[in-house]
Amino acid sequence: MGLVSRGTAAAGLGPARAAVRPRPPDAVPNLISTPPPEGAAPGSSRVPSMVLKAFFPTCCASADSGLLVGRWVPEQSSAVVLAVVHFPFIPIQVKELLAQVQQASRVGVAVLGTWCHRRQEPEESLGHFLEGLGAIFSHEPWLQLCRERGSKFWSCKATHRQVPTCPATSGEDQVMLVFYDQRKVLLSQLHPPAALPDRQAGDATASAVGLAAVFDTVARSEALFRSDWFDEGPVRLSHWQSEGVEASILVELAKWAAGPICLLLTCLLSLVSAASACRKANMLVSVLLDVALGLVLLSWLHRKDRIGQLADALIPVADHVAEELQHLLQWLMGAPAGLKMNRALDQVLGRFFLYHIHLWIGYIHLMSPFIECILWHVGLSACLGLTVALSILSDIIALLTFHIYCFYVYGARLYCLKIYGLSSLWRLFRGKKWNVLRQRVDSCSYDLDQLFIGTLLFTILVFLLPTTALYYLVFTLLRLLVVTVQGLIHLLVDLVNSLPLYSLGLRLCRPYRLAAGVKFRVLEHEAGSPLRLLMQINPLSYSRVVHTYRLPSCGCHPKHSWGSLCRKLFFGELIYPWRQRGDKQD
């Protein structure tokens, strides 16, 4: 089948196949213009016949002659062919098989018409026999597909045995033949269409609904695929699984030859089938990768006594950090950057923070004999997963920088106290006050003594504010540095826990499994033959795979916007980047 023109109609699909339901209207007729009926003269008043869409599996193109079994979707004017029933068969047994399939799959499977492969059946009488089967398997419309001998073009008709209500309407409908890969359609998982402009949203929704009925029909008809050409039952079928059944004989022989290995493989296959859902598989792969990376980290830490090396290097690093903080405080107690500070307050704050650093150094040296043991147990926790080790590392960083956190809290509380004191005194000058009960600013009259005391306090706070603000600024920058390091660790933990690795691997190796839409390729066409299209699956983009299948994280990412963060920093409010939304605020 040569390619004459390539028309790609990207149509978004409906939800996952277990939830797809056929709803009108279909979008496939909108993709191809309807040709006029054969023999209709220009300007004729003859009513054009309806265009039917016949979805035919490519695996049945070489099948022997027989009956077309599938589902008719009246809302979409579509016939979804699922299999071909071969001769010889007994009609009552075919009907019993279809009834069993309907009961198991809840799909209205029926005999849609006949299939004639004339290259394999040279007798002309077979065609007349196939046409007569319409009286036994009554279906409206009745499809007649025929693959011509010595030609690559097919003939396709859809006839009605009922008398047309309109005399100008023909008893035959035009048929558009759409080939599809049955295996890929069966295994694909459909996704909602991406956001489109308003003028394209209606067409995308209609296309999604029409194609969803086709995918849903194939997905729910697995009971029909259990019978095949090589089955010993009374009905022989051709479908996507027929060509691979002969190889199962070798598989059965291998099972008898390797009993224990077969049992292990069966357990593994059952585990894989249980985790066939993408989200379950993503979670399983994420846990396995986490444990594997943790074991790699554990082996690296216990090789060449790296834990002892880290313990020996931790105390000098802590001493160096404490020494740098002492130099920073001594610089602040002088004239930092040439600024004129309040001497008394500067000395009080500097000595207060230096005393805390002295206590911190003593605490570190007191814990030095136990640091190697602590690191050994922390490294042992890596066997539970890399994310567990990284979380413990974040906690260790918080403990080692606890003095910086204390400095930040002291400076922020002192700075916040002065900011709110200045704002309250500023309202006093304007004759206002804050009403605590009604949570609003009300007018208030003050006497001369209150205004004098307010002016005195306002002046004191204004002149002490630069010294307090400088200490607050320095310790806030140190705190933000520690928070940034902890934030990078939290992002790494969140990446390992939420990245859909299974879905990404499925998109890389089996892109048709994650379908975002379809495209139609026009096959070689000649006048008088039905239009033939090849339906191909468009896979999801990698960004949509990550967005759709990303696992829910622990929600420890920052909850503040940049505006809220700047406001909190300006007013001296404490910042907890990973505080949950419903937690109590200080």
Side-chain angles (χ1 to χ4, degrees):
M1 292 180 284
L3 177 63
V4 173
S5 62
R6 183 182 182 91
T8 302
L13 301 180
R17 64 173 181 251
V20 176
R21 294 293 183 271
R23 298 185 300 271
D26 192 3
V28 177
N30 299 332
L31 304 177
I32 305 297
S33 59
T34 303
E38 298 180 7
S44 174
S45 60
R46 179 182 177 183
V47 179
S49 58
M50 182 175 56
V51 177
L52 304 181
K53 301 177 292 295
F55 291 86
F56 191 83
T58 55
C59 57
C60 296
S62 301
D64 295 341
S65 301
L67 297 176
L68 297 176
V69 175
R71 177 191 176 192
W72 170 253
V73 186
E75 297 87 353
Q76 316 299 335
S77 299
S78 303
V80 184
V81 179
L82 299 173
V84 175
V85 178
H86 300 288
F87 298 108
F89 59 82
I90 301 176
I92 188 63
Q93 294 177 343
V94 175
K95 293 181 179 181
E96 291 178 356
L97 174 63
L98 297 183
Q100 295 174 2
V101 173
Q102 290 183 15
Q103 185 178 4
S105 61
R106 304 289 182 178
V107 177
V109 181
V111 177
L112 303 178
T114 58
W115 159 253
C116 179
H117 195 174
R118 291 183 177 175
R119 189 170 58 181
Q120 295 181 359
E121 305 291 343
E123 295 83 1
E124 297 295 336
S125 59
L126 179 62
H128 300 287
F129 173 71
L130 292 176
E131 293 178 0
L133 290 176
I136 302 177
F137 302 97
S138 58
H139 187 271
E140 291 289 336
W142 183 258
L143 294 178
Q144 296 179 9
L145 298 182
C146 183
R147 187 172 182 179
E148 302 293 341
R149 181 169 59 249
S151 175
K152 53 187 174 182
F153 298 103
W154 297 15
S155 64
C156 187
K157 296 187 300 182
T159 59
H160 293 269
R161 287 176 172 78
Q162 298 179 357
V163 180
T165 57
C166 179
T169 303
S170 173
E172 294 185 3
D173 294 328
Q174 295 187 16
V175 179
M176 180 195 308
L177 197 56
V178 182
F179 296 96
Y180 70 95
D181 192 324
Q182 196 172 60
R183 174 178 174 271
K184 291 184 178 181
V185 172
L186 176 66
L187 298 178
S188 63
Q189 186 171 358
L190 313 183
H191 297 78
L196 293 175
D198 294 338
R199 60 186 180 89
Q200 299 179 2
D203 295 338
T205 304
S207 302
V209 171
L211 294 172
V214 179
F215 279 76
D216 180 52
T217 300
V218 179
R220 295 195 302 170
S221 302
E222 295 185 6
L224 181 65
F225 303 144
R226 295 172 187 157
S227 300
D228 49 64
W229 173 266
F230 304 98
D231 198 353
E232 297 179 356
V235 181
R236 297 183 302 160
L237 301 174
S238 282
H239 43 73
W240 73 278
Q241 285 185 330
S242 299
E243 298 179 356
V245 176
E246 286 182 316
S248 64
I249 300 176
L250 301 178
V251 175
E252 294 296 331
L253 293 177
K255 288 181 179 180
W256 286 103
I261 299 178
C262 174
L263 182 60
L264 178 60
L265 291 177
T266 303
C267 296
L268 292 178
L269 289 176
S270 62
L271 180 62
V272 172
S273 61
S276 58
C278 281
R279 297 197 178 276
K280 295 180 181 179
N282 286 326
M283 189 175 300
L284 178 61
V285 172
S286 177
V287 172
L288 293 179
L289 179 64
D290 187 13
V291 174
L293 293 177
L295 293 177
V296 172
L297 177 62
L298 180 63
S299 64
W300 182 82
L301 288 176
H302 287 80
R303 189 182 304 168
K304 298 181 181 179
D305 195 23
R306 288 190 173 92
I307 293 182
Q309 298 175 7
L310 290 176
D312 295 337
L314 187 60
I315 299 301
V317 170
D319 291 339
H320 178 72
V321 172
E323 184 179 355
E324 292 296 330
L325 285 177
Q326 288 178 343
H327 292 164
L328 178 62
L329 288 174
Q330 291 173 0
W331 177 71
L332 291 176
M333 292 171 65
L339 298 176
K340 182 65 176 179
M341 312 295 293
N342 185 279
R343 183 68 178 175
L345 181 61
D346 192 13
Q347 292 295 321
V348 169
L349 293 178
R351 291 176 181 177
F352 176 77
F353 290 130
L354 284 175
Y355 178 71
H356 275 74
I357 293 177
H358 176 72
L359 293 178
W360 176 251
I361 294 176
Y363 169 72
I364 289 295
H365 285 277
L366 182 64
M367 293 293 296
S368 58
F370 310 100
I371 288 181
E372 184 174 357
C373 182
I374 294 174
L375 291 179
W376 189 87
H377 285 87
V378 170
L380 191 62
S381 66
C383 63
L384 301 177
L386 178 64
T387 56
V388 176
L390 291 177
S391 300
I392 295 179
L393 176 62
S394 177
D395 295 338
I396 292 177
I397 292 177
L399 291 176
L400 293 178
T401 58
F402 182 71
H403 54 305
I404 296 178
Y405 173 74
C406 292
F407 295 165
Y408 164 71
V409 172
Y410 297 153
R413 289 303 188 191
L414 189 59
Y415 174 78
C416 181
L417 178 63
K418 291 188 177 182
I419 288 295
Y420 280 100
L422 289 174
S423 63
S424 178
L425 293 174
W426 178 252
R427 286 193 293 267
L428 182 143
F429 293 152
R430 297 183 295 130
K432 305 287 184 180
K433 73 172 184 178
W434 175 255
N435 192 330
V436 180
L437 296 179
R438 297 188 177 182
Q439 295 293 308
R440 68 181 186 184
V441 177
D442 294 335
S443 300
C444 181
S445 60
Y446 298 97
D447 54 19
L448 186 61
D449 294 336
Q450 291 174 330
L451 291 175
F452 175 75
I453 296 297
T455 303
L456 183 62
L457 293 177
F458 184 83
T459 305
I460 294 174
L461 292 179
V462 166
F463 283 102
L464 294 180
L465 182 62
T467 303
T468 306
L470 182 60
Y471 276 89
Y472 168 70
L473 176 62
V474 171
F475 293 131
T476 299
L477 293 178
L478 292 177
R479 172 62 179 168
L480 290 179
L481 179 62
V482 175
V483 167
T484 301
V485 175
Q486 290 183 302
L488 293 177
I489 296 177
H490 279 265
L491 287 178
L492 183 57
V493 172
D494 184 70
L495 180 64
V496 175
N497 287 332
S498 62
L499 192 64
L501 296 175
Y502 175 79
S503 297
L504 290 175
L506 203 62
R507 171 62 179 83
L508 179 63
C509 301
R510 297 289 186 271
Y512 60 86
R513 294 288 299 273
L514 305 176
V518 298
K519 57 184 177 182
F520 295 91
R521 191 178 70 181
V522 181
L523 303 178
E524 188 174 353
H525 178 68
E526 69 175 7
S529 62
L531 181 63
R532 298 184 304 157
L533 304 177
L534 178 61
M535 187 177 71
Q536 298 174 335
I537 295 178
N538 277 333
L540 279 177
S541 61
Y542 285 97
S543 58
R544 284 198 62 194
V545 171
V546 174
H547 177 74
T548 304
Y549 292 101
R550 185 179 178 88
L551 296 174
S553 59
C554 59
C556 58
H557 47 81
K559 298 291 183 180
H560 301 294
S561 62
W562 287 106
S564 175
L565 180 62
C566 294
R567 187 188 67 82
K568 288 180 176 291
L569 290 176
F570 179 78
F571 287 102
E573 299 180 12
L574 297 182
I575 298 174
Y576 299 98
W578 296 282
R579 181 180 293 276
Q580 301 296 326
R581 192 177 299 274
D583 291 351
K584 180 180 178 181
Q585 299 289 337
D586 293 338

